[in-house]
Amino acid sequence: MEQKIITRFAPSPTGFIHVGNLRTALYAYLWAKKNKGTFILRIEDTDKAREVEGSIDHIMKSLKWLGVNWDEGPDIGGPNAPYLQSQRLESYKKYAQILIEKGLAYPDPYTEEEIDGFREKAELEKKAFLFREHRPITFGVWDGTRPLRFKVGDIKSYHWHDEVYGDLSAGPEALDDFILIKSDGYPTYNFAHVIDDLEMGVTHVMRGQEFISSVPKYLSLYDGLGIKPPLFATLPPIMGKDGNKKLGKRDGAKDVLEYEREGYLPGAMMNFLALLGWNPGDDKEIFTKDELINIFDISRIGHSGAQWNDDKLDWINKEYIKKLENEELENKIFEWLPEELKIKKLVPVIAERISKFGDIKKMITEGELDFFYKQPEYSKEKLIFKNTTPEKTSLNLKEAITALQKIDEKDFSFENVKITLMQIADGLPSRGELLHPVRYALSGLDKSPDPFVIAMILGKNETLSRLQKAI
Ligand code: GLU
């Protein structure tokens, strides 16, 4: 039987989770789902000093919004419960005991000052500080009041395979007697995650680059415990817009729920994040969640940093908006509109001009939608197209009014208005001599939808009255 793939996302609740971190969750999720495996949410809350209240809820909300659903986790339980590390202290003690019995763990006898002294001495000698060089020769029984350290067995080089970065190695200097359990009784990340991954049967550890240099330490612990390590897949860093620095707050490393508030669609965000470091192998860029699950592959995760790109996110989001069913689109747009603008005919016009729903707010505050319900104010000069004259403009507009009057009010559609106006415009030296003043007279805006759309939305009476006023 093939081994079941089990992945996990293991955030620490130390504040809001930024959107780049969610890519880690997404990749672990996609890989598990593709392989009909299990995706676990585990909360690594053992650093009580750094914990921020509310972050666990926030993490779960963010994942849910994005559509990254876990099969096991703190809220829904599962066969490996509990999923909060702070509730798994017994497990860590059990394995600590096993290591003690094997002679592979010992209480750290030093005070913080003494350790600082060792560190300073190493610095003066321009050597890397290694705790194991100060390992006491004999040690007493661990009573839980001292930190418990791992006694690294074989001081050797490690060679290992990373599913993304390939074959890696590190010399003995990467190994040390690291702390397993702190004096407050909580385990360190280094220890706890190894135990949890073991107990939860995790097959693929997918995480950020910041852990890669510690892998030899984890390998020495796996060796000490006599267990086979899971597969490691280290994800490439996400770079900021300029491509040089790691993604920072100013580049878009925001709270993902902020993107929700700005009116992005979760599917689009998932699509965008998926492409941030992974490529499907062809030019296709828009994927549904099911498609992503189908084609996602660890072997196509890149090594070099992926660059954050707001324009691309907006583009993908717009593609997602285009795919919405009429009714859903209307509901979404109406959520952002004041009562007087909840007009069905406006929906396609707005949809065409936004890349995220939050843009509607800007359209409103900048008065871009005012012309739909009130006569626009505008400058006379701007009515005149390029080199034409006011007289010529006025004649053209008169001709337009006469022609439009012939359309029945109930037939005043986009098509009919367009045919009528184009007939006149095509007879002029330049179409703009008519289409520009009509558009401008109707909207009063330098940039607006085309005149036919506006006329259709305003209806026959309002259209004619605005053209008359322009004349
Ligand atoms: N708790 C670690 C973090 O928040 C998780 C690292 C891992 O995935 O193992 O960065």
Side-chain angles (χ1 to χ4, degrees), residues 47-73:
D47 192 344
K48 288 294 161 190
R50 290 183 56 223
E51 196 163 324
V52 174
E53 215 192 294
S55 11
I56 300 181
D57 274 347
H58 184 264
I59 289 165
M60 296 205 281
K61 246 195 189 153
S62 303
L63 290 168
K64 276 188 191 152
W65 177 73
L66 194 62
V68 170
N69 307 315
W70 50 99
D71 304 302
E72 299 174 24

PDB file of all heavy atoms in Angstrom, residues 47-73:
ATOM      1  N   ASP A  47       5.991  29.409  22.972  1.00  0.00           N
ATOM      2  CA  ASP A  47       6.752  30.594  23.380  1.00  0.00           C
ATOM      3  C   ASP A  47       5.754  31.567  23.984  1.00  0.00           C
ATOM      4  O   ASP A  47       5.229  32.461  23.313  1.00  0.00           O
ATOM      5  CB  ASP A  47       7.449  31.206  22.157  1.00  0.00           C
ATOM      6  CG  ASP A  47       8.466  32.251  22.574  1.00  0.00           C
ATOM      7  OD1 ASP A  47       8.409  32.693  23.747  1.00  0.00           O
ATOM      8  OD2 ASP A  47       9.304  32.628  21.738  1.00  0.00           O
ATOM      9  N   LYS A  48       5.500  31.352  25.259  1.00  0.00           N
ATOM     10  CA  LYS A  48       4.413  32.088  25.912  1.00  0.00           C
ATOM     11  C   LYS A  48       4.691  33.597  25.942  1.00  0.00           C
ATOM     12  O   LYS A  48       3.762  34.400  25.922  1.00  0.00           O
ATOM     13  CB  LYS A  48       4.174  31.549  27.317  1.00  0.00           C
ATOM     14  CG  LYS A  48       3.519  30.168  27.289  1.00  0.00           C
ATOM     15  CD  LYS A  48       2.110  30.270  26.699  1.00  0.00           C
ATOM     16  CE  LYS A  48       1.594  28.930  26.216  1.00  0.00           C
ATOM     17  NZ  LYS A  48       0.357  29.027  25.430  1.00  0.00           N
ATOM     18  N   ALA A  49       5.976  33.965  25.969  1.00  0.00           N
ATOM     19  CA  ALA A  49       6.304  35.390  26.053  1.00  0.00           C
ATOM     20  C   ALA A  49       5.926  36.122  24.771  1.00  0.00           C
ATOM     21  O   ALA A  49       5.564  37.291  24.793  1.00  0.00           O
ATOM     22  CB  ALA A  49       7.791  35.559  26.336  1.00  0.00           C
ATOM     23  N   ARG A  50       5.989  35.413  23.634  1.00  0.00           N
ATOM     24  CA  ARG A  50       5.721  36.094  22.362  1.00  0.00           C
ATOM     25  C   ARG A  50       4.285  35.935  21.883  1.00  0.00           C
ATOM     26  O   ARG A  50       3.898  36.466  20.844  1.00  0.00           O
ATOM     27  CB  ARG A  50       6.697  35.583  21.294  1.00  0.00           C
ATOM     28  CG  ARG A  50       8.128  36.044  21.540  1.00  0.00           C
ATOM     29  CD  ARG A  50       9.049  35.574  20.430  1.00  0.00           C
ATOM     30  NE  ARG A  50       8.594  36.004  19.120  1.00  0.00           N
ATOM     31  CZ  ARG A  50       8.596  35.236  18.036  1.00  0.00           C
ATOM     32  NH1 ARG A  50       9.015  33.995  18.101  1.00  0.00           N
ATOM     33  NH2 ARG A  50       8.176  35.704  16.878  1.00  0.00           N
ATOM     34  N   GLU A  51       3.508  35.171  22.633  1.00  0.00           N
ATOM     35  CA  GLU A  51       2.146  34.904  22.174  1.00  0.00           C
ATOM     36  C   GLU A  51       1.288  36.174  22.166  1.00  0.00           C
ATOM     37  O   GLU A  51       1.379  37.001  23.059  1.00  0.00           O
ATOM     38  CB  GLU A  51       1.512  33.862  23.096  1.00  0.00           C
ATOM     39  CG  GLU A  51       0.281  33.242  22.484  1.00  0.00           C
ATOM     40  CD  GLU A  51      -0.126  31.922  23.165  1.00  0.00           C
ATOM     41  OE1 GLU A  51       0.782  31.165  23.575  1.00  0.00           O
ATOM     42  OE2 GLU A  51      -1.327  31.701  23.288  1.00  0.00           O
ATOM     43  N   VAL A  52       0.492  36.334  21.137  1.00  0.00           N
ATOM     44  CA  VAL A  52      -0.390  37.492  21.041  1.00  0.00           C
ATOM     45  C   VAL A  52      -1.831  37.002  21.085  1.00  0.00           C
ATOM     46  O   VAL A  52      -2.217  36.111  20.312  1.00  0.00           O
ATOM     47  CB  VAL A  52      -0.134  38.276  19.734  1.00  0.00           C
ATOM     48  CG1 VAL A  52      -1.158  39.392  19.568  1.00  0.00           C
ATOM     49  CG2 VAL A  52       1.283  38.833  19.714  1.00  0.00           C
ATOM     50  N   GLU A  53      -2.585  37.579  21.990  1.00  0.00           N
ATOM     51  CA  GLU A  53      -3.960  37.123  22.155  1.00  0.00           C
ATOM     52  C   GLU A  53      -4.760  37.315  20.872  1.00  0.00           C
ATOM     53  O   GLU A  53      -4.608  38.307  20.174  1.00  0.00           O
ATOM     54  CB  GLU A  53      -4.603  37.927  23.285  1.00  0.00           C
ATOM     55  CG  GLU A  53      -5.580  37.100  24.085  1.00  0.00           C
ATOM     56  CD  GLU A  53      -6.406  37.971  25.001  1.00  0.00           C
ATOM     57  OE1 GLU A  53      -5.807  38.552  25.914  1.00  0.00           O
ATOM     58  OE2 GLU A  53      -7.627  38.053  24.774  1.00  0.00           O
ATOM     59  N   GLY A  54      -5.570  36.355  20.568  1.00  0.00           N
ATOM     60  CA  GLY A  54      -6.430  36.471  19.380  1.00  0.00           C
ATOM     61  C   GLY A  54      -5.774  35.920  18.131  1.00  0.00           C
ATOM     62  O   GLY A  54      -6.434  35.781  17.098  1.00  0.00           O
ATOM     63  N   SER A  55      -4.466  35.618  18.183  1.00  0.00           N
ATOM     64  CA  SER A  55      -3.857  35.196  16.908  1.00  0.00           C
ATOM     65  C   SER A  55      -4.324  33.827  16.431  1.00  0.00           C
ATOM     66  O   SER A  55      -4.340  33.589  15.232  1.00  0.00           O
ATOM     67  CB  SER A  55      -2.333  35.263  16.884  1.00  0.00           C
ATOM     68  OG  SER A  55      -1.742  35.474  18.075  1.00  0.00           O
ATOM     69  N   ILE A  56      -4.684  32.944  17.334  1.00  0.00           N
ATOM     70  CA  ILE A  56      -5.130  31.617  16.867  1.00  0.00           C
ATOM     71  C   ILE A  56      -6.413  31.767  16.050  1.00  0.00           C
ATOM     72  O   ILE A  56      -6.537  31.221  14.950  1.00  0.00           O
ATOM     73  CB  ILE A  56      -5.332  30.649  18.054  1.00  0.00           C
ATOM     74  CG1 ILE A  56      -4.002  30.478  18.804  1.00  0.00           C
ATOM     75  CG2 ILE A  56      -5.870  29.305  17.571  1.00  0.00           C
ATOM     76  CD1 ILE A  56      -4.035  29.531  19.971  1.00  0.00           C
ATOM     77  N   ASP A  57      -7.337  32.561  16.579  1.00  0.00           N
ATOM     78  CA  ASP A  57      -8.587  32.807  15.831  1.00  0.00           C
ATOM     79  C   ASP A  57      -8.288  33.447  14.491  1.00  0.00           C
ATOM     80  O   ASP A  57      -8.891  33.138  13.473  1.00  0.00           O
ATOM     81  CB  ASP A  57      -9.481  33.787  16.609  1.00  0.00           C
ATOM     82  CG  ASP A  57     -10.324  33.030  17.614  1.00  0.00           C
ATOM     83  OD1 ASP A  57     -10.377  31.786  17.497  1.00  0.00           O
ATOM     84  OD2 ASP A  57     -10.900  33.682  18.504  1.00  0.00           O
ATOM     85  N   HIS A  58      -7.356  34.383  14.539  1.00  0.00           N
ATOM     86  CA  HIS A  58      -7.023  35.110  13.331  1.00  0.00           C
ATOM     87  C   HIS A  58      -6.425  34.183  12.269  1.00  0.00           C
ATOM     88  O   HIS A  58      -6.764  34.277  11.085  1.00  0.00           O
ATOM     89  CB  HIS A  58      -6.053  36.246  13.671  1.00  0.00           C
ATOM     90  CG  HIS A  58      -5.736  37.090  12.506  1.00  0.00           C
ATOM     91  ND1 HIS A  58      -4.602  36.884  11.755  1.00  0.00           N
ATOM     92  CD2 HIS A  58      -6.416  38.084  11.901  1.00  0.00           C
ATOM     93  CE1 HIS A  58      -4.603  37.747  10.762  1.00  0.00           C
ATOM     94  NE2 HIS A  58      -5.691  38.485  10.823  1.00  0.00           N
ATOM     95  N   ILE A  59      -5.560  33.278  12.714  1.00  0.00           N
ATOM     96  CA  ILE A  59      -4.951  32.312  11.784  1.00  0.00           C
ATOM     97  C   ILE A  59      -6.052  31.461  11.143  1.00  0.00           C
ATOM     98  O   ILE A  59      -6.084  31.267   9.924  1.00  0.00           O
ATOM     99  CB  ILE A  59      -3.946  31.409  12.541  1.00  0.00           C
ATOM    100  CG1 ILE A  59      -2.700  32.212  12.921  1.00  0.00           C
ATOM    101  CG2 ILE A  59      -3.582  30.180  11.717  1.00  0.00           C
ATOM    102  CD1 ILE A  59      -1.808  31.534  13.962  1.00  0.00           C
ATOM    103  N   MET A  60      -6.970  30.990  11.970  1.00  0.00           N
ATOM    104  CA  MET A  60      -8.012  30.108  11.434  1.00  0.00           C
ATOM    105  C   MET A  60      -8.940  30.870  10.479  1.00  0.00           C
ATOM    106  O   MET A  60      -9.320  30.350   9.440  1.00  0.00           O
ATOM    107  CB  MET A  60      -8.797  29.474  12.590  1.00  0.00           C
ATOM    108  CG  MET A  60      -7.899  28.574  13.438  1.00  0.00           C
ATOM    109  SD  MET A  60      -8.755  27.270  14.321  1.00  0.00           S
ATOM    110  CE  MET A  60      -9.414  28.194  15.672  1.00  0.00           C
ATOM    111  N   LYS A  61      -9.255  32.100  10.846  1.00  0.00           N
ATOM    112  CA  LYS A  61     -10.106  32.917   9.976  1.00  0.00           C
ATOM    113  C   LYS A  61      -9.444  33.138   8.620  1.00  0.00           C
ATOM    114  O   LYS A  61     -10.081  33.078   7.571  1.00  0.00           O
ATOM    115  CB  LYS A  61     -10.310  34.287  10.636  1.00  0.00           C
ATOM    116  CG  LYS A  61     -11.718  34.571  11.064  1.00  0.00           C
ATOM    117  CD  LYS A  61     -11.783  36.062  11.321  1.00  0.00           C
ATOM    118  CE  LYS A  61     -13.085  36.464  11.962  1.00  0.00           C
ATOM    119  NZ  LYS A  61     -12.943  37.668  12.760  1.00  0.00           N
ATOM    120  N   SER A  62      -8.137  33.437   8.667  1.00  0.00           N
ATOM    121  CA  SER A  62      -7.408  33.722   7.429  1.00  0.00           C
ATOM    122  C   SER A  62      -7.399  32.496   6.513  1.00  0.00           C
ATOM    123  O   SER A  62      -7.632  32.602   5.313  1.00  0.00           O
ATOM    124  CB  SER A  62      -5.966  34.121   7.732  1.00  0.00           C
ATOM    125  OG  SER A  62      -5.933  35.222   8.596  1.00  0.00           O
ATOM    126  N   LEU A  63      -7.109  31.337   7.102  1.00  0.00           N
ATOM    127  CA  LEU A  63      -7.058  30.112   6.294  1.00  0.00           C
ATOM    128  C   LEU A  63      -8.437  29.798   5.714  1.00  0.00           C
ATOM    129  O   LEU A  63      -8.560  29.411   4.551  1.00  0.00           O
ATOM    130  CB  LEU A  63      -6.575  28.937   7.142  1.00  0.00           C
ATOM    131  CG  LEU A  63      -5.102  28.967   7.561  1.00  0.00           C
ATOM    132  CD1 LEU A  63      -4.833  27.916   8.624  1.00  0.00           C
ATOM    133  CD2 LEU A  63      -4.181  28.739   6.365  1.00  0.00           C
ATOM    134  N   LYS A  64      -9.450  29.992   6.539  1.00  0.00           N
ATOM    135  CA  LYS A  64     -10.817  29.695   6.065  1.00  0.00           C
ATOM    136  C   LYS A  64     -11.196  30.619   4.925  1.00  0.00           C
ATOM    137  O   LYS A  64     -11.802  30.195   3.950  1.00  0.00           O
ATOM    138  CB  LYS A  64     -11.825  29.848   7.214  1.00  0.00           C
ATOM    139  CG  LYS A  64     -11.906  28.603   8.066  1.00  0.00           C
ATOM    140  CD  LYS A  64     -13.040  28.712   9.075  1.00  0.00           C
ATOM    141  CE  LYS A  64     -12.902  27.564  10.071  1.00  0.00           C
ATOM    142  NZ  LYS A  64     -13.458  27.897  11.382  1.00  0.00           N
ATOM    143  N   TRP A  65     -10.869  31.885   5.072  1.00  0.00           N
ATOM    144  CA  TRP A  65     -11.222  32.831   4.001  1.00  0.00           C
ATOM    145  C   TRP A  65     -10.560  32.401   2.686  1.00  0.00           C
ATOM    146  O   TRP A  65     -11.191  32.366   1.642  1.00  0.00           O
ATOM    147  CB  TRP A  65     -10.790  34.261   4.368  1.00  0.00           C
ATOM    148  CG  TRP A  65     -11.086  35.217   3.254  1.00  0.00           C
ATOM    149  CD1 TRP A  65     -12.323  35.678   2.882  1.00  0.00           C
ATOM    150  CD2 TRP A  65     -10.148  35.775   2.321  1.00  0.00           C
ATOM    151  NE1 TRP A  65     -12.201  36.494   1.779  1.00  0.00           N
ATOM    152  CE2 TRP A  65     -10.885  36.578   1.411  1.00  0.00           C
ATOM    153  CE3 TRP A  65      -8.760  35.685   2.173  1.00  0.00           C
ATOM    154  CZ2 TRP A  65     -10.280  37.283   0.363  1.00  0.00           C
ATOM    155  CZ3 TRP A  65      -8.159  36.392   1.135  1.00  0.00           C
ATOM    156  CH2 TRP A  65      -8.916  37.171   0.250  1.00  0.00           C
ATOM    157  N   LEU A  66      -9.301  32.010   2.806  1.00  0.00           N
ATOM    158  CA  LEU A  66      -8.554  31.632   1.612  1.00  0.00           C
ATOM    159  C   LEU A  66      -9.064  30.317   1.016  1.00  0.00           C
ATOM    160  O   LEU A  66      -8.875  30.041  -0.167  1.00  0.00           O
ATOM    161  CB  LEU A  66      -7.075  31.505   1.998  1.00  0.00           C
ATOM    162  CG  LEU A  66      -6.049  31.448   0.889  1.00  0.00           C
ATOM    163  CD1 LEU A  66      -6.080  32.723   0.066  1.00  0.00           C
ATOM    164  CD2 LEU A  66      -4.650  31.247   1.465  1.00  0.00           C
ATOM    165  N   GLY A  67      -9.700  29.515   1.836  1.00  0.00           N
ATOM    166  CA  GLY A  67     -10.202  28.228   1.342  1.00  0.00           C
ATOM    167  C   GLY A  67      -9.221  27.094   1.586  1.00  0.00           C
ATOM    168  O   GLY A  67      -9.291  26.048   0.955  1.00  0.00           O
ATOM    169  N   VAL A  68      -8.281  27.316   2.513  1.00  0.00           N
ATOM    170  CA  VAL A  68      -7.322  26.271   2.875  1.00  0.00           C
ATOM    171  C   VAL A  68      -7.896  25.560   4.114  1.00  0.00           C
ATOM    172  O   VAL A  68      -7.769  26.032   5.237  1.00  0.00           O
ATOM    173  CB  VAL A  68      -5.935  26.893   3.170  1.00  0.00           C
ATOM    174  CG1 VAL A  68      -5.000  25.875   3.782  1.00  0.00           C
ATOM    175  CG2 VAL A  68      -5.338  27.461   1.888  1.00  0.00           C
ATOM    176  N   ASN A  69      -8.598  24.472   3.872  1.00  0.00           N
ATOM    177  CA  ASN A  69      -9.322  23.816   4.965  1.00  0.00           C
ATOM    178  C   ASN A  69      -8.548  22.631   5.502  1.00  0.00           C
ATOM    179  O   ASN A  69      -8.078  21.800   4.737  1.00  0.00           O
ATOM    180  CB  ASN A  69     -10.688  23.349   4.466  1.00  0.00           C
ATOM    181  CG  ASN A  69     -11.453  24.485   3.802  1.00  0.00           C
ATOM    182  OD1 ASN A  69     -11.495  25.589   4.336  1.00  0.00           O
ATOM    183  ND2 ASN A  69     -12.014  24.233   2.638  1.00  0.00           N
ATOM    184  N   TRP A  70      -8.434  22.567   6.806  1.00  0.00           N
ATOM    185  CA  TRP A  70      -7.658  21.500   7.420  1.00  0.00           C
ATOM    186  C   TRP A  70      -8.544  20.304   7.763  1.00  0.00           C
ATOM    187  O   TRP A  70      -9.730  20.445   8.009  1.00  0.00           O
ATOM    188  CB  TRP A  70      -6.902  22.020   8.650  1.00  0.00           C
ATOM    189  CG  TRP A  70      -7.742  22.799   9.630  1.00  0.00           C
ATOM    190  CD1 TRP A  70      -8.289  22.350  10.793  1.00  0.00           C
ATOM    191  CD2 TRP A  70      -8.110  24.194   9.549  1.00  0.00           C
ATOM    192  NE1 TRP A  70      -8.982  23.358  11.425  1.00  0.00           N
ATOM    193  CE2 TRP A  70      -8.890  24.495  10.694  1.00  0.00           C
ATOM    194  CE3 TRP A  70      -7.870  25.211   8.618  1.00  0.00           C
ATOM    195  CZ2 TRP A  70      -9.421  25.768  10.933  1.00  0.00           C
ATOM    196  CZ3 TRP A  70      -8.406  26.477   8.856  1.00  0.00           C
ATOM    197  CH2 TRP A  70      -9.168  26.732  10.002  1.00  0.00           C
ATOM    198  N   ASP A  71      -7.912  19.133   7.747  1.00  0.00           N
ATOM    199  CA  ASP A  71      -8.640  17.902   8.074  1.00  0.00           C
ATOM    200  C   ASP A  71      -8.583  17.602   9.561  1.00  0.00           C
ATOM    201  O   ASP A  71      -9.415  16.882  10.095  1.00  0.00           O
ATOM    202  CB  ASP A  71      -8.029  16.711   7.323  1.00  0.00           C
ATOM    203  CG  ASP A  71      -8.008  16.958   5.821  1.00  0.00           C
ATOM    204  OD1 ASP A  71      -9.087  17.182   5.262  1.00  0.00           O
ATOM    205  OD2 ASP A  71      -6.912  16.964   5.227  1.00  0.00           O
ATOM    206  N   GLU A  72      -7.529  18.095  10.198  1.00  0.00           N
ATOM    207  CA  GLU A  72      -7.388  17.926  11.644  1.00  0.00           C
ATOM    208  C   GLU A  72      -6.880  19.259  12.181  1.00  0.00           C
ATOM    209  O   GLU A  72      -6.042  19.891  11.553  1.00  0.00           O
ATOM    210  CB  GLU A  72      -6.336  16.848  11.978  1.00  0.00           C
ATOM    211  CG  GLU A  72      -6.656  15.470  11.440  1.00  0.00           C
ATOM    212  CD  GLU A  72      -5.511  14.476  11.684  1.00  0.00           C
ATOM    213  OE1 GLU A  72      -4.704  14.685  12.619  1.00  0.00           O
ATOM    214  OE2 GLU A  72      -5.431  13.495  10.932  1.00  0.00           O
ATOM    215  N   GLY A  73      -7.362  19.651  13.338  1.00  0.00           N
ATOM    216  CA  GLY A  73      -6.901  20.930  13.874  1.00  0.00           C
ATOM    217  C   GLY A  73      -7.534  21.224  15.210  1.00  0.00           C
ATOM    218  O   GLY A  73      -8.387  20.472  15.682  1.00  0.00           O
TER     219      GLY A  73
END
